[in-house]
Amino acid sequence: MQEATQVLAALCLMFVAAKVLGYLSERLNQPSVVGEILAGVLIGPSVLGWVQPTGFIDILAELAVIVLLFRVGLEVNLRDMMEVGLLALGVAVVGVVLPFLAGAGLVAYGLQGELPVALFMGAAMVATSVGITARVLSDLGQLQRRESRTILGAAVIDDVLGLLVLAMVAGIATAGAVSWGDLAGTIGATVAFVAGVLVVARPLFARFSRRLPDPGATPTAFFVAVALMLGLSALAAQIGLAAIVGAFFAGLIVELGDRQPALEQQVGPVAEFLVPFFFASVGMKVELGAFVNPETLGLTAAVLGLAIITKVAAGWLVASRSGWLSSTLIGVGMMPRGEVGIIVALMGLSLGVIDESLYSVVVAMSIATTIVAPPILKAILNRLVRQEAGSYAGESSRTVLEGQGGH
Amino acid sequence: MQEATQVLAALCLMFVAAKVLGYLSERLNQPSVVGEILAGVLIGPSVLGWVQPTGFIDILAELAVIVLLFRVGLEVNLRDMMEVGLLALGVAVVGVVLPFLAGAGLVAYGLQGELPVALFMGAAMVATSVGITARVLSDLGQLQRRESRTILGAAVIDDVLGLLVLAMVAGIATAGAVSWGDLAGTIGATVAFVAGVLVVARPLFARFSRRLPDPGATPTAFFVAVALMLGLSALAAQIGLAAIVGAFFAGLIVELGDRQPALEQQVGPVAEFLVPFFFASVGMKVELGAFVNPETLGLTAAVLGLAIITKVAAGWLVASRSGWLSSTLIGVGMMPRGEVGIIVALMGLSLGVIDESLYSVVVAMSIATTIVAPPILKAILNRLVRQEAGSYAGESSRTVLEGQGGH
């Protein structure tokens, strides 16, 4: 009971701080997610120390980002995703290879580090944490864009590739060699998961939704949708994928035709309620100390630079035909490492492969890429939308995207 | 991360089991909350053991019942509550005195127990856990009834009185005397809380809501409403009241006039999503072993009988003018002890005042009153509604209340 009381006070503080700073952020023409993360930094251990990250808040944040990605999946059509499949695959592969080589190369040649250290550094650079980008795209009402779908698809594939890279790297670091059996197991589980979702769950849901009686449909649809969301998230997490990949797939296969808006209207408030806890908790995990360590400042800057440029370069290289702005948008959208980079570094730390200082470099890089991306995304989208409005209307009208209020 | 994966799987199982058994329960013309609790019993440690109660699930359940009572508060009008204030006060006072005397008397005279044991037993009989009744009334669309408002008001007052009783009993058990200073502190904090809500928070909210611009109103209103809900829950818990009392008050003071339905439509899905976790977790805490212990079976039956009859008698004594069915409805609505009785018993156990066997008797009584109440409530409401339909239409039409689908 004592714990519940403290958690309630913490939740209240997180919610209010995130919403207020998110609102101020929007007034300054920045995505509200920036304010929400800064709210977490402010009330968290780094600055005021009013709220400590706890196990409960961690899991609630995980649940929140699951609902966020489920909602994004609901808004995106599977067929539209398939359409950008090859492009997304290309962006993901190049966006995994370049950061891996850059991270590993920097440690191996720049720092004269040993092979396992270099490999772990490479693996930590690979991750894409798509929650932040998805939120910005959704808030600005731009999820239906080709670039947005490419980013979402590439992030899902990136997660699978990152899982494989991590399995290989961990095998080399612990056993001295890639464990091909483990790797085959991971690949098999992933293929089975995706195939199961598309071949079994999707047709089942389609058949179910056709049988729904029209009036009683909404509560039942909400129940089945939430059950799918929780089930596929748990399943994805079980095989080592990010839970949000499962949630996104769940959203993708829920197709209710003209009843879809009613379902989206029900999932919306659940997301509005939970999602601020995710972004505030991202901020609460920021250790400002990691940035101001003079010994590692140079290394942090180098790693951060490589982390940014390699993802953006992946966008440029693969999506160049879409034009400069669009390919940059895709690259920047893949940039936030979020908690995923930190998890990989933490695994390296606990295996004794990388040391504290390299760990804090990765943490600083993960946080910086996460905070830097949203304003750039918004600026590029503003330009793109202005250009398109200009080319349609034959004039350079100042159309500026506005966040959708209280998101 | 490992923990998050397990929690996700547990949440999925709880959600699906609660919804499916809740649905079956409705098909058998029982309130769906019965099925949801039984789902928890089934998948919990007592039967299948698929899901273990964890700290995360406990707090999530607390958050869920907070949202539930907030939603109930939104649907009820403060003025309507005031109207039944005196009646609710009477029901609460008699509904505290009778069970306390019965519990204490049984131990003191029936079991020849010592005074502290008798007092703790009395205190454990006092509690009312209003979540279960509120859910049944809400599902059947009967929250606006005079009896329903009486139950809600009496449950709030009951919580305050129960807190005072517990403070006195704990003082006598630990220090040998009532700590009048502590008691005055508790009374002062409670009065300050209620006064603060009604005199400060309510006018502030009214002023705020008048200033809301019409189009942007809904997201801002949702934000302020949720912030109030979390804030007042935390505050109530801080001073020792049930967090749900704070949430109920938060719902009471949110009055948006013709924009209220829009807010209720946003809070609804949040409740739909969270509330099954509360009822399933109530079921998961059931220890079937507590019921089948032959040594304590007789005592359990006696305690349970007294627990039921004293609350129903309080309804009969105070609300007799409302007629037999209405006064029974009020008494039965106050019957579920839920987790509150168990918490009091747990405190007595940890203070060394009551022993394991008496503790398990209280647990069994709390659970039994919780499970028994919903079907009786529904049956009485069905009769009342039929009677009223009959007296209005001059015929005995068979109007049967149906649960509102997927609640």
Side-chain angles (χ1 to χ4, degrees), chain A residues 171-198:
Chain A
I172 294 174
T174 53
V178 173
S179 159
W180 296 108
D182 283 5
L183 205 62
T186 304
I187 295 177
T190 306
V191 170
F193 177 77
V194 175
V197 167
L198 297 182

Side-chain angles (χ1 to χ4, degrees), chain A residues 3 5 7-9 12 15-16 19 56 59-60 66 219 222-223 226-227 230-231 234 237-238 243 266 269-270 272-273 406, chain B residues 3 5 7-9 12 15-16 19 56 59-60 66 219 222-223 226-227 230-231 234 237-238 243 266 269-270 272-274 406:
Chain A
E3 200 199 340
T5 305
V7 169
L8 278 175
C12 182
F15 189 82
V16 172
K19 284 288 188 182
F56 177 81
I59 304 182
L60 190 71
I66 283 171
F222 183 71
F223 154 60
V226 170
L230 292 172
Q238 199 61 48
Q266 289 194 293
V270 180
E272 306 277 302
F273 175 59
Chain B
E3 201 198 341
T5 305
V7 169
L8 278 175
C12 182
F15 189 83
V16 172
K19 285 289 187 180
F56 177 82
I59 305 181
L60 190 72
I66 283 171
F222 183 72
F223 155 59
V226 170
L230 292 172
Q238 198 63 46
Q266 289 194 292
V270 181
E272 306 278 302
F273 175 59
L274 288 177

Side-chain angles (χ1 to χ4, degrees), chain A residues 264-356:
Chain A
E264 285 177 20
Q265 250 179 21
Q266 289 194 293
V267 174
V270 180
E272 306 277 302
F273 175 59
L274 289 177
V275 168
F277 299 116
F278 171 69
F279 290 106
S281 94
V282 167
M284 279 162 54
K285 292 213 179 104
V286 169
E287 292 164 50
L288 287 181
F291 289 99
V292 292
N293 186 345
E295 280 176 52
T296 57
L297 210 58
L299 184 60
T300 304
V303 169
L304 179 59
L306 287 174
I308 293 174
I309 199 68
T310 49
K311 287 284 186 184
V312 176
W316 286 339
L317 285 173
V318 182
S320 59
R321 254 200 269 175
S322 317
W324 189 79
L325 272 179
S326 289
S327 60
T328 312
L329 180 65
I330 293 173
V332 174
M334 303 289 292
M335 206 168 82
R337 303 303 197 278
E339 71 292 350
V340 191
I342 297 175
I343 289 169
V344 173
L346 198 60
M347 187 189 270
L349 185 68
S350 65
L351 285 175
V353 175
I354 68 170
D355 59 15
E356 286 277 356

Side-chain angles (χ1 to χ4, degrees), chain A residues 146-292:
Chain A
R146 200 161 192 271
E147 299 93 333
S148 306
R149 286 179 276 128
T150 306
I151 293 171
L152 292 172
V156 167
I157 302 168
D158 184 306
D159 191 62
V160 174
L161 297 178
L163 181 65
L164 299 180
V165 168
L166 190 61
M168 284 195 275
V169 166
I172 294 174
T174 53
V178 173
S179 159
W180 296 108
D182 283 5
L183 205 62
T186 304
I187 295 177
T190 306
V191 170
F193 177 77
V194 175
V197 167
L198 297 182
V199 179
V200 182
R202 192 172 170 244
L204 268 181
F205 184 84
R207 174 172 291 190
F208 153 82
S209 73
R210 270 198 301 275
R211 289 203 184 171
L212 276 181
D214 221 46
T218 322
T220 317
F222 183 71
F223 154 60
V224 176
V226 170
L228 253 180
M229 176 188 83
L230 292 172
L232 291 187
S233 301
L235 204 61
Q238 199 61 48
I239 64 173
L241 289 170
I244 56 172
V245 167
F248 179 67
F249 269 109
L252 270 186
I253 63 174
V254 170
E255 296 276 0
L256 286 172
D258 52 350
R259 282 178 305 215
Q260 190 86 351
L263 180 65
E264 285 177 20
Q265 250 179 21
Q266 289 194 293
V267 174
V270 180
E272 306 277 302
F273 175 59
L274 289 177
V275 168
F277 299 116
F278 171 69
F279 290 106
S281 94
V282 167
M284 279 162 54
K285 292 213 179 104
V286 169
E287 292 164 50
L288 287 181
F291 289 99
V292 292

